[in-house]
Amino acid sequence: MDYVYIKAVHIIFIVTWFAGLFYMPRLYIYFIEAGNKPHVERDILQAQFKVMMRRLWYGITWPSAMITLVMGIAVLVSGGWWGRMLAGEADWLIVKLIFVLLLYGYHLSLHVLFRRLYLTSYDYTSTQLRVWNEVATVFLVAIVLLATVKNAMSFVWGLAALLVFIGILLAAVHIYKRFRRRTHS
């Protein structure tokens, strides 16, 4: 298969994988918040969210993560990136791959949360899950910037911008929490 087609398939499955990574924590939040509803409504909602979580996780997110991994390795090899990286010509790629490994760690953490919620074990509040939901956004921004800007971006300035972005996301979650408290009081 030609490099550009491999790369296209890789990107398509990155998008579907991220769709799952963005929506799963949102379903976790809805599931947790349904626990505050009256008994009958809670049971109906949580049963429906379990079905939605299972279908999204095993039907889209996991397969997309695996195809992304396989196609990513194929892009590295068929595009000659592996050799350039080993020759020290693609330092940005090493940093990007570190973020990708961390992203797979995040994916596995969502799997642990999925299993716990599915077994009706609630260890986190909806606010904590909202913060955890933003982690995928941070990885997306970091990986896309590294893949597109490559060596044109200073590592220090890029890291500083990423930290500012994280601060903005955390502030947004905090503001939303305060807004919800006021509207539900």
Side-chain angles (χ1 to χ4, degrees):
M1 188 183 292
D2 190 51
Y3 172 74
V4 293
Y5 294 110
I6 294 170
K7 189 174 178 182
V9 171
H10 177 61
I11 292 169
I12 289 165
F13 282 96
I14 289 170
V15 171
T16 60
W17 183 30
F18 266 99
L21 293 178
F22 285 138
Y23 197 49
M24 277 304 285
R26 178 68 30 207
L27 289 173
Y28 299 164
I29 292 164
Y30 297 154
F31 182 86
I32 293 294
E33 290 179 348
N36 298 328
K37 304 284 184 188
H39 178 69
V40 174
E41 187 179 357
R42 179 194 67 217
D43 291 347
I44 292 169
L45 287 171
Q46 287 186 333
Q48 181 60 42
F49 290 136
K50 281 184 175 183
V51 169
M52 293 168 69
M53 288 187 290
R54 187 180 64 249
R55 288 178 180 168
L56 175 63
W57 196 242
Y58 292 120
I60 296 172
T61 311
W62 263 110
S64 296
M66 294 301 97
I67 295 169
T68 295
L69 179 64
V70 169
M71 298 312 285
I73 292 168
V75 166
L76 276 174
V77 173
S78 67
W81 291 106
W82 187 254
R84 285 183 258 187
M85 187 175 64
L86 293 177
E89 300 169 7
D91 292 340
W92 64 271
L93 185 55
I94 294 168
V95 176
K96 177 189 168 217
L97 291 175
I98 290 169
F99 276 110
V100 169
L101 285 173
L102 293 171
L103 180 62
Y104 275 95
Y106 175 74
H107 175 98
L108 293 174
S109 79
L110 291 181
H111 186 77
V112 169
L113 283 171
F114 168 73
R115 299 284 300 158
R116 295 185 82 156
L117 285 174
Y118 212 80
L119 298 171
T120 320
S121 174
Y122 319 127
D123 295 332
Y124 301 98
T125 66
S126 61
T127 301
Q128 289 171 318
L129 290 170
R130 278 185 175 80
V131 170
W132 200 236
N133 186 40
E134 298 306 329
V135 173
T137 305
V138 172
F139 284 123
L140 177 66
V141 168
I143 292 167
V144 168
L145 282 175
L146 283 162
T148 56
V149 178
K150 296 180 177 39
N151 291 324
M153 180 174 50
S154 159
F155 179 75
V156 173
W157 283 108
L159 186 59
L162 190 61
L163 290 174
V164 168
F165 182 67
I166 291 169
I168 291 169
L169 288 174
L170 290 175
V173 169
H174 179 72
I175 290 167
Y176 178 75
K177 180 180 177 180
R178 290 177 62 189
F179 173 76
R180 275 193 63 160
R181 278 190 185 152
R182 283 189 200 151
T183 57
H184 292 320
S185 298

